[in-house]
Amino acid sequence: MVSNSNSERVNGSGGASSSSNPDQRAAVQQHSYRPYQQDHMAYAYLDTLRQFSVQLLCAGGAGAIAKTSVAPLERVKILLQVQSMGSVPPAEQYKGLYDALQRIPQLEGGWRALFRGNGANVLRLVPEVGFKFVVHDQFRVMFAPADGSPLGVLEKLAAGVLKCCLFYPLDLARTRITADTSRVGQRRTAATVRQCLADTIRHEGITSMYKGMLPSLVGIVPHMSVSFTTYESLKNQLPDDKQSRSSWWFPFLKMGCGAAAAVTAQATCYPLDTIRRRMQMNGAQGHPRSYNSMLHCIKHMATTSGVASFYRGCLVNSIKVVPGATIQFICYDLLKSAVTTIDPTAGVQSPL
């Protein structure tokens, strides 16, 4: 009788144990899976960080070298756009590219003055590369055509609008630093990005960091449309046979198509760029508040200076596109080759 009760207790406990085995096994499996899951997430994070570092080195490095190479031309272009807004007498204003390149070092303390504002321009590359790395993939998913065809203007338009809204204060700071014509011995009105933005908020309010953003947003659509259409039209004229596409000169032809498309788009939208620069300088330190709105700026410029005032610096802007694109392409290719030599698994996409 005792043995029967004992056997029942043993069987009961055994039954309970057997009934709890699936839960125990699931708990053990989940516990053993957690370290693997954590290791996988850590590896994915490190791999993403490595890919971003590679893109920052190649795209950011090539962009920084290219922008620095043409920085004197960029500064002359901006000065020609906005110099009439300041307190410099018309007789002392720069007449053109050669006059500016010759007189800027004499008046502003040496050849380094030609690169004023380039640091702020290069600084923008870091968040822009990060934006492209993080956001563009999401836009590719959101705007991917159902038939699997390549993405077009829509994805680039959405990315351009979002990038403009996020990083516009850096562009405003770059414009104000570049347009600062303080002479030797005079106090700089905008020496660094931090000082420029802090002074802008202190004297003009936080919304002033977005002065001129409206013409920037308005210009995105025509710029993207003209650039995309021109590039596709020129690219379709290139030879399509396998031998030509594998030739060493084919990437340079594509680069030429890209440069021609950029020049065409920038020339088409250049009046909006001039308006944006003038709105950015409107009410800045050393500059009077001349315009109440974008339309007021257009009317004032057309009435007082004529249509030609909208295109001041356009030739300089066109001149800098070709060397800038060439330098960026060559530097990108060299950096990409160096990175892939060190790490063949590094995924680097061509800028073309």
Side-chain angles (χ1 to χ4, degrees), residues 29-216:
Q29 290 175 357
Q30 185 178 7
H31 180 73
S32 61
Y33 176 73
R34 284 177 182 173
Y36 169 79
Q37 187 179 27
Q38 293 174 355
D39 292 342
H40 178 73
M41 292 176 61
Y43 175 80
Y45 173 77
L46 292 175
D47 185 64
T48 302
L49 183 62
R50 180 179 69 92
Q51 293 180 18
F52 172 72
S53 301
V54 169
Q55 291 294 336
L56 181 61
L57 174 63
C58 295
I65 295 172
K67 288 180 181 296
T68 302
S69 301
V70 298
L73 298 177
E74 178 68 16
R75 182 160 194 236
V76 171
K77 183 207 81 167
I78 293 179
L79 287 175
L80 293 176
Q81 287 177 309
V82 303
Q83 64 178 348
S84 61
M85 297 177 62
S87 57
V88 180
E92 298 181 14
Q93 294 177 5
Y94 301 117
K95 305 300 186 292
L97 175 60
Y98 179 76
D99 180 49
L101 292 177
Q102 187 178 31
R103 291 171 55 203
I104 287 176
Q106 298 175 359
L107 297 174
E108 300 181 26
W111 61 270
R112 291 185 179 180
L114 294 171
F115 295 85
R116 186 174 292 179
N118 181 61
N121 201 19
V122 171
L123 180 64
R124 296 189 308 159
L125 289 171
V126 177
E128 286 182 0
V129 172
F131 173 84
K132 183 177 181 181
F133 184 80
V134 175
V135 178
H136 273 211
D137 287 342
Q138 301 300 321
F139 281 166
R140 288 189 181 98
V141 174
M142 293 169 59
F143 298 104
D147 58 356
S149 59
L151 293 169
V153 178
L154 184 60
E155 179 261 351
K156 296 179 181 179
L157 176 62
V161 171
L162 182 57
K163 185 172 71 172
C164 178
C165 296
L166 290 176
F167 308 131
Y168 191 82
L170 291 177
D171 184 67
L172 179 134
R174 193 262 293 213
T175 299
R176 294 192 171 190
I177 294 173
T178 303
D180 183 4
T181 56
S182 301
R183 303 298 194 247
V184 179
Q186 294 180 341
R187 179 182 176 274
R188 295 272 302 276
T189 56
T192 63
V193 174
R194 181 179 179 180
Q195 177 194 342
C196 179
L197 293 179
D199 289 345
T200 299
I201 295 174
R202 184 181 304 111
H203 297 291
E204 304 170 55
I206 192 169
T207 57
S208 62
M209 292 195 299
Y210 291 90
K211 283 183 176 180
M213 192 173 74
L214 179 58
S216 297

Side-chain angles (χ1 to χ4, degrees), residues 9-28:
R9 284 196 297 269
V10 171
N11 292 336
S13 63
S17 175
S18 62
S19 64
S20 63
N21 278 342
D23 295 337
Q24 291 179 353
R25 284 196 302 268
V28 171

